[in-house]
């Protein structure tokens, strides 16, 4: 029983970790291959090193895990984090203003749509983290439910046994009463 529960606890974590590590590895590969990047906007310019790119890859990996879980479970609750993230992305794009990404000496404009898409991906990653936590808690709570059911079943068995013993004792008293009455009745007849 413990091995089964341990496997069910580890499986979702291993799968999610695989997605996240694949994203981190892809991010590291991109950061190493492409080289220096920067983000330019109304806030000024910021260099984007390999660590933020690797973290972005990890977030994308968890988002991919969330998408996989939503598809497998046919879960429509994924729409709320997607839409919420997209709306937050639109808000960020409107607050920050025009942005650009510099890569290897060239610059690419980043408008509202890419920022909204990034927000939706962050929302999907949040959903993926929620699925990881829920699967872990669900396995533990199912173990608790198994214990509760076992206790409930044992108490009901004990209660049924006590009721049966009481009924048998009452029946034995009634049988004894009728036996004595029959004996008295036979003696009166004789």
């Amino acid at each position: 029983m413990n091995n089964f529960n341990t496997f069910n606890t580890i499986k979702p974590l291993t799968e999610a970790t695989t997605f996240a590590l694949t994203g981190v590895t892809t991010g590291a590969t991109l950061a190493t291959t492409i080289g220096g990047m920067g983000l330019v906007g109304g806030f000024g310019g910021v260099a984007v090193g390999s660590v933020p790119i690797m973290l972005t890859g990890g977030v994308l990996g968890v988002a991919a895990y969330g998408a996989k879980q939503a598809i497998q479970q046919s879960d429509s609750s994924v729409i709320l984090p997607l839409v919420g993230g997209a709306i937050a992305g639109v808000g960020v794009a409107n607050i920050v203003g025009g942005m650009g990404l510099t890569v290897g000496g060239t610059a690419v404009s980043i408008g509202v749509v890419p920022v909204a898409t990034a927000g939706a991906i962050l929302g999907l990653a949040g959903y993926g983290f929620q699925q990881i936590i829920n699967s872990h808690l669900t396995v533990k709570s199912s173990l608790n439910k198994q214990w509760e059911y076992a206790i409930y079943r044992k108490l009901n068995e004990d209660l049924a046994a006590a009721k049966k013993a009481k009924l048998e004792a009452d029946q034995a008293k009634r049988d004894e009463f009728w036996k004595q009455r029959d004996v008295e009745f036979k003696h009166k007849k004789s």
Side-chain angles (χ1 to χ4, degrees):
M1 187 166 136
N2 287 338
N3 291 338
F4 176 77
N5 287 325
T6 302
F7 175 73
N8 285 341
T9 302
I10 293 173
K11 184 181 179 228
L13 295 176
T14 304
E15 187 177 26
T17 303
T18 303
F19 273 90
L21 287 177
T22 301
V24 168
T25 305
T26 304
T29 303
L30 282 174
T32 306
T33 304
I34 295 175
M37 292 184 231
L39 190 60
V40 182
F43 52 85
V46 178
V48 179
S50 60
V51 173
I53 301 296
M54 289 169 56
L55 291 176
T56 302
V59 169
L60 286 171
V62 173
Y65 175 75
K68 176 186 170 288
Q69 291 297 102
I71 291 169
Q72 279 182 342
Q73 299 171 5
S74 298
D75 190 2
S76 61
S77 68
V78 72
I79 294 171
L80 182 65
L82 276 172
V83 172
I87 291 171
V90 169
V92 168
N94 286 328
I95 291 171
V96 174
M99 290 183 275
L101 177 67
T102 61
V103 179
T106 62
V108 179
S109 174
I110 299 176
V112 175
V113 173
V115 178
T117 302
I121 290 171
L122 282 173
L124 189 57
Y127 175 82
F129 279 120
Q130 179 212 10
Q131 289 298 305
I132 294 168
I133 290 168
N134 281 349
S135 67
H136 186 65
L137 292 178
T138 301
V139 169
K140 286 188 178 225
S141 66
S142 73
L143 180 60
N144 290 339
K145 291 289 183 192
Q146 289 173 359
W147 277 105
E148 287 175 17
Y149 179 70
I151 292 168
Y152 171 77
R153 190 179 64 226
K154 179 65 175 152
L155 288 174
N156 279 336
E157 287 172 2
D158 291 348
L159 181 61
K163 282 182 180 179
K164 183 179 178 185
K166 173 83 167 108
L167 288 173
E168 288 173 352
D170 289 346
Q171 186 62 43
K173 285 180 184 177
R174 281 191 293 275
D175 290 346
E176 184 62 34
F177 170 78
W178 289 110
K179 249 189 226 180
Q180 285 179 351
R181 186 167 178 232
D182 288 344
V183 168
E184 289 174 7
F185 186 69
K186 284 182 186 178
H187 284 288
K188 283 183 182 181
K189 261 184 154 184
S190 329

